[in-house]
Amino acid sequence: MALFERRSSILIGIVLALSLGVATACSDDDGGTDNKNENISSKKLGQVTATPNPITFETVALGEETNVNVLISNSGESALRITNIALRENVGAPPQDMEEEFFREGDGWGKQNLSLEPGATHIVSVRYKPVNQNPDTGSVLIESNDPSNPQYVIPITTQGLAPKIFSPATVSFPRVTPPGPDSSTEDGPWRGAWKMTQVQNTGEAPLTISEIAVKGNNSRFDFSIPQPTAEEIADGLAPDPDNDTKQWPAALAPNERFDVRVWFAPDTNNPENDELIFKSDDPTTPEYSVNLVGNSGSPCIEVSPVGEVDFALSSIGNVSQKTVTITNCSPSSKLKLQDIEMTDDGGGVFEIKEGSLPVGLPEEPFILDEGGRANFVVTFSPTDEAAYTGMVRIKSDDPSQSTLDLPLNGRGTNNACPTAVATAKVVPGGRAGTSIQALPLETIQFDGTGSSDPDGTIQRYEWTILSAPAASSSRILPNGSATPEMFMDINGEYKVELKVFDDQNTVSCGEPAIITILVNSDTDIHIQLTWTSNGVQNNDVDLHYLHPSASRWASNAGGWDCYYGNKTPNWNVPGGNPTLDIDDLQGPGPENISHSNLENVTYKIGVHYFSDHGNGPAYATVEVRNRGILTFAARDKMLTHKQFWLVGYLNGRSRTVAAADIVTPDYP
C-alpha cells in the first residue's frame, strides 16, 4: 500500500512538473505570449480556384460534340488534398440513361487522392453532346480540404438549340414598265416581272414556317414557290413559273433552304413599297420581314401623248404639229436622254421640228432631273388624201425601256384647217393674255373661244401642259372645254398649248397657241411642301414652321409652331406673323407657309408624316423662295409613318436656309 502511494506521488509530481514547464515555456519574462503558435494558425491552407467558372457552352448542333478544359488550381499556401471531382447533370432531375447523357467526363475524374502543392494545377475536360434542342444545365463538384469551401461547385450552362430564319433583307425591282390598256399576253394576263430570293434555316433545330404573305395586301406584289423539274435541275435552268405553287416545305432542317419567287406587276411608274412576312417558330424572330421595293432607284421615262402621236386629219399643203412631252417619272434618279430620231418619216411627211429638241441632242445627252419634263415637236405635212404612218425613236437610260418607239399617224385632207387662238387670266378679276403672272393657289381660266375654222365650226378643244415645275400636280379641267380652269399649286413656270379640231376632225395648223404662266409668291419667304407615295393620294404629310421661342413642335409649342393646328399664329413680336395657306389632308400637296417681315432670329422648318393610311413611305420635297426666287430645295426625302424631318434652319436676317436633314421617329 505504501509502495502504491509512493509511485502515485511520483507520477503526480511528474505531471505537475511537465505542466509547469509548458506554462513556463509559453511565457515570456515580462508575462507576454509567444507568437509562434499564432503564425501557424494564420497560415492559409489549401484553397480551390477553377477557370472557367461558370462553364458555358455555345450552341452545338445535334449529333456533334465539343469540350471545355477546366483548370483547377491551389491558390493557398499549403497542400490542397482533393478527394473527389464529380460531374452532375440537371441537379434535381431524374437520372439519365448513359446513352442519353449530354455531359460526359474526360480525364482526371472520379474519387482519388489528388494532392496539389501551392500554385500547382490540374486539368479536367467536360464533354458536351446535346440530345435535343432544349438548353441543358449541370455542375462540376470538387471536394477537398479547403476549409472555406470544402465542396466547390462550378455551374454548367448551355445555349440550347433553336431554329433561325434568314432571307435577304430586300427584294428590289429598279424599273418595271406597266402594261398598256390591254394587259393580257399570249400566255394569259400580264403577271409582271419576277426575282428569285431564298429562305434558309441558319439555326441548329428544325424550322417550321406557318405563314408567308404580302403584308399590305398590295396586289402589285406577290410570291410563289418554284417547283423545279429534274430536267431543269440537271440543265441548271430557272424553274418554269407556270409550275409554281403557294406551298412551301413544312419544315426546314438546319442549313436547309428553299426558293421564293417574288412578283412585281405595277400599274404606274410610281415607286412601290411593301413587305413579305414569314411567320415561324424562330424564338427570336417569330415574324420575319423582307422589304419589297419597286420602281425605285433607277431612271424612269414617260412620254405623252401615250401610245402614239395622232394627227387625225391634217390639211394638204399645210403644216400641223404636235408637241411630245418626255417626263422623268423617277423620284430619286436623273434620266439621261441619249437620242431622239425619226426612224420612219412616212415618205417625207413627218419631221422633228428644227430647233425643238432638248438642248444638246443629238450630239450629247440631255439630263432630266427627278420629275422634270422636256419637249420636242413633230410636224406633219401631208401631200395627198391618204393615211400616213411613221415612227420616232427615243433612247434613254431607263433600264426597262432604253429604246422607246413612238408611232406617228395622220391622214391628209383637202378640208381647210382651223386656227387655234388661246388666252388665259387669273380669276376673278385678271387681265387676259398669252403671258401672265399669278400667285400660288390662284386659279387660271383658259379661253379658246377665239379659235376659228374657215369652212366649218370648232368641235373639240385639246389642252396640253407642255411644261410645269417637277412637283406640280396641277391639271386642266375639264380638258375638252373651250374655257377650262387650272389651279396653280406651286411656284414656277407653266406652258400650256391649245389644239382645236373642226367638225370634220381636222386639226389646227399654223403657229401653235401657247400660254406661259409664271407663278411667284409676293411674300418675303414662301415655304412649299409637296410629296408622292406609291401613286396614291391618301396620306397626310404636314409642314411646320417654328419660332425660336418654342422648345417643342405642334401643340406643345405654345402657339409658336405654324402648322395645320395653328394656321395663323399671333406671335406678338416685332416681325410679322406667318400663315399656312393650305393644308392638304391626302396628298400630294402643296402645303404652303408665307412669311414677311422676319425677325433677326433663326426659324426651323420641319415636316411630319402624320399618317400613311397604310400606303407606305412618302417622298417629301421642300422648296423655299425668297421674294419669288428659289434659294433652297430638299427633294424626295423618304419618310415613314409618324417620322419627323427637321429640314433646315431659316436665318431671318439673310432669309437663307441651312440644311439640317435630321429624321426622328416622331416629333423631337
Side-chain angles (χ1 to χ4, degrees):
M1 188 69 174
L3 179 62
F4 174 78
E5 290 178 353
R6 189 167 52 250
R7 290 179 177 175
S8 297
S9 298
I10 294 171
L11 288 173
I12 292 171
I14 293 171
V15 170
L16 290 173
L18 289 173
S19 299
L20 182 60
V22 170
T24 302
C26 291
S27 299
D28 292 331
D29 292 340
D30 59 0
T33 302
D34 192 348
N35 61 8
K36 293 180 181 179
N37 192 49
E38 181 181 357
N39 292 339
I40 294 173
S41 62
S42 64
K43 186 176 182 180
K44 292 182 180 179
L45 302 178
Q47 186 173 6
V48 177
T49 57
T51 304
N53 185 4
I55 301 168
T56 302
F57 286 95
E58 301 297 330
T59 302
V60 182
L62 287 174
E64 295 185 4
E65 183 178 275
T66 188
N67 69 283
V68 169
N69 288 328
V70 180
L71 181 68
I72 303 172
S73 304
N74 178 9
S75 58
E77 297 179 0
S78 62
L80 175 70
R81 292 191 300 275
I82 297 176
T83 58
N84 185 35
I85 304 175
L87 182 62
R88 301 186 298 180
E89 297 178 346
N90 287 348
V91 177
Q96 303 235 0
D97 204 358
M98 285 300 293
E99 293 301 320
E100 293 296 319
E101 287 182 351
F102 34 85
F103 297 124
R104 297 174 184 269
E105 300 175 353
D107 297 332
W109 295 91
K111 293 183 178 180
Q112 55 204 284
N113 293 317
L114 179 65
S115 180
L116 296 181
E117 294 301 319
T121 61
H122 178 71
I123 296 176
V124 295
S125 179
V126 180
R127 298 156 57 197
Y128 176 54
K129 183 177 182 179
V131 297
N132 54 44
Q133 65 189 60
N134 300 321
D136 298 309
T137 61
S139 63
V140 173
L141 172 65
I142 304 173
E143 295 179 313
S144 72
N145 67 335
D146 182 343
S148 62
N149 199 353
Q151 291 189 325
Y152 186 96
V153 177
I154 308 172
I156 306 174
T157 60
T158 68
Q159 299 296 315
L161 303 180
K164 186 171 182 60
I165 190 170
F166 172 77
S167 184
T170 302
V171 178
S172 179
F173 296 83
R175 270 281 287 126
V176 176
T177 305
D182 180 10
S183 60
S184 62
T185 66
E186 293 181 0
D187 299 324
W190 185 68
R191 300 178 64 184
W194 58 264
K195 282 193 171 184
M196 205 75 81
T197 189
Q198 283 190 334
V199 178
Q200 182 179 1
N201 178 10
T202 59
E204 303 294 345
L207 173 74
T208 300
I209 298 176
S210 58
E211 183 180 348
I212 304 177
V214 176
K215 180 178 181 180
N217 295 318
N218 187 334
S219 61
R220 292 173 284 277
F221 289 103
D222 199 1
F223 78 95
S224 58
I225 308 300
Q227 305 294 316
T229 64
E231 292 79 6
E232 289 170 339
I233 295 174
D235 296 337
L237 301 175
D240 187 343
D242 291 337
N243 296 328
D244 288 6
T245 72
K246 289 286 186 177
Q247 299 298 317
W248 54 89
L252 286 182
N255 295 318
E256 192 175 3
R257 67 189 70 191
F258 66 89
D259 290 332
V260 177
R261 195 189 311 264
V262 178
W263 295 87
F264 178 48
D267 51 13
T268 71
N269 286 309
N270 296 310
E272 304 281 356
N273 296 273
D274 213 319
E275 293 178 76
L276 187 63
I277 301 297
F278 298 87
K279 294 183 179 180
S280 72
D281 59 352
D282 179 340
T284 59
T285 315
E287 186 171 293
Y288 186 93
S289 65
V290 173
N291 295 319
L292 304 179
V293 181
N295 287 346
S296 179
S298 65
C300 167
I301 189 171
E302 282 184 345
V303 175
S304 178
V306 178
E308 65 176 6
V309 178
D310 186 6
F311 285 89
L313 290 175
S314 296
S315 297
I316 296 172
N318 290 287
V319 178
S320 298
Q321 62 182 45
K322 285 267 193 175
T323 301
V324 178
T325 301
I326 301 172
T327 302
N328 177 7
C329 45
S330 170
S332 57
S333 299
K334 298 183 185 301
L335 176 70
K336 181 187 294 185
L337 294 178
Q338 297 161 330
D339 195 11
I340 300 174
E341 61 176 339
M342 185 74 64
T343 57
D344 181 358
D345 63 6
V349 297
F350 296 108
E351 287 185 357
I352 296 175
K353 186 176 181 179
E354 186 176 354
S356 71
L357 287 176
V359 177
L361 287 176
E363 285 77 17
E364 58 185 38
F366 180 82
I367 306 300
L368 266 178
D369 290 336
E370 299 84 344
R373 306 183 193 187
N375 304 302
F376 67 95
V377 176
V378 178
T379 63
F380 176 43
S381 307
T383 56
D384 297 301
E385 286 188 298
Y388 296 89
T389 61
M391 188 76 71
V392 169
R393 176 166 292 171
I394 304 171
K395 294 182 179 180
S396 72
D397 62 347
D398 181 334
S400 72
Q401 45 183 353
S402 57
T403 299
L404 191 154
D405 288 328
L406 187 63
L408 310 173
N409 297 295
R411 179 180 291 273
T413 178
N414 285 315
N415 181 49
C417 58
T419 300
V421 176
T423 59
K425 64 180 180 180
V426 176
V427 289
R431 178 179 295 181
T434 58
S435 181
I436 60 176
Q437 292 189 349
L439 297 175
L441 313 183
E442 287 189 324
T443 298
I444 301 295
Q445 184 179 64
F446 300 97
D447 188 353
T449 57
S451 303
S452 61
D453 181 42
D455 57 358
T457 58
I458 304 297
Q459 293 294 308
R460 183 160 59 94
Y461 299 84
E462 181 182 276
W463 301 89
T464 302
I465 300 176
L466 300 181
S467 63
S472 173
S473 59
S474 293
R475 297 292 181 264
I476 300 173
L477 299 171
N479 193 296
S481 169
T483 56
E485 294 184 346
M486 182 177 178
F487 176 72
M488 310 312 295
D489 57 355
I490 61 176
N491 283 279
E493 184 182 75
Y494 302 74
K495 286 185 179 293
V496 176
E497 181 182 28
L498 171 65
K499 291 286 185 184
V500 296
F501 297 80
D502 67 9
D503 49 0
Q504 296 189 42
N505 201 32
T506 302
V507 67
S508 53
C509 56
E511 289 298 315
I514 295 177
I515 303 294
T516 301
I517 307 162
L518 184 62
V519 179
N520 269 327
S521 173
D522 61 350
T523 57
D524 288 345
I525 288 295
H526 182 83
I527 307 169
Q528 177 176 278
L529 165 69
T530 56
W531 66 92
T532 60
S533 177
N534 291 345
V536 298
Q537 294 186 9
N538 186 22
N539 46 15
D540 191 359
V541 183
D542 295 314
L543 180 62
H544 290 255
Y545 182 56
L546 195 70
H547 190 277
S549 296
S551 59
R552 301 290 298 276
W553 295 84
S555 59
N556 293 324
W560 294 102
D561 187 357
C562 180
Y563 74 114
Y564 72 88
N566 191 26
K567 296 180 181 179
T568 56
N570 182 8
W571 285 352
N572 193 26
V573 292
N577 294 318
T579 59
L580 176 70
D581 302 319
I582 184 172
D583 174 31
D584 190 339
L585 298 178
Q586 294 185 322
E591 291 198 2
N592 298 330
I593 290 177
S594 301
H595 192 193
S596 291
N597 302 318
L598 280 69
E599 299 174 80
N600 185 17
V601 296
T602 299
Y603 305 87
K604 293 180 181 179
I605 302 170
V607 172
H608 184 233
Y609 196 174
F610 183 81
S611 177
D612 65 1
H613 297 299
N615 293 311
Y619 297 86
T621 293
V622 171
E623 296 181 344
V624 180
R625 284 175 168 79
N626 181 358
R627 300 301 300 180
I629 299 174
L630 181 65
T631 58
F632 174 84
R635 305 187 187 279
D636 300 311
K637 184 69 173 181
M638 190 184 83
L639 301 174
T640 58
H641 180 67
K642 290 300 180 185
Q643 280 189 330
F644 186 88
W645 174 29
L646 177 57
V647 181
Y649 306 97
L650 172 60
N651 185 306
R653 182 176 183 178
S654 64
R655 300 201 291 262
T656 58
V657 178
D661 197 24
I662 300 172
V663 176
T664 53
D666 209 326
Y667 289 114

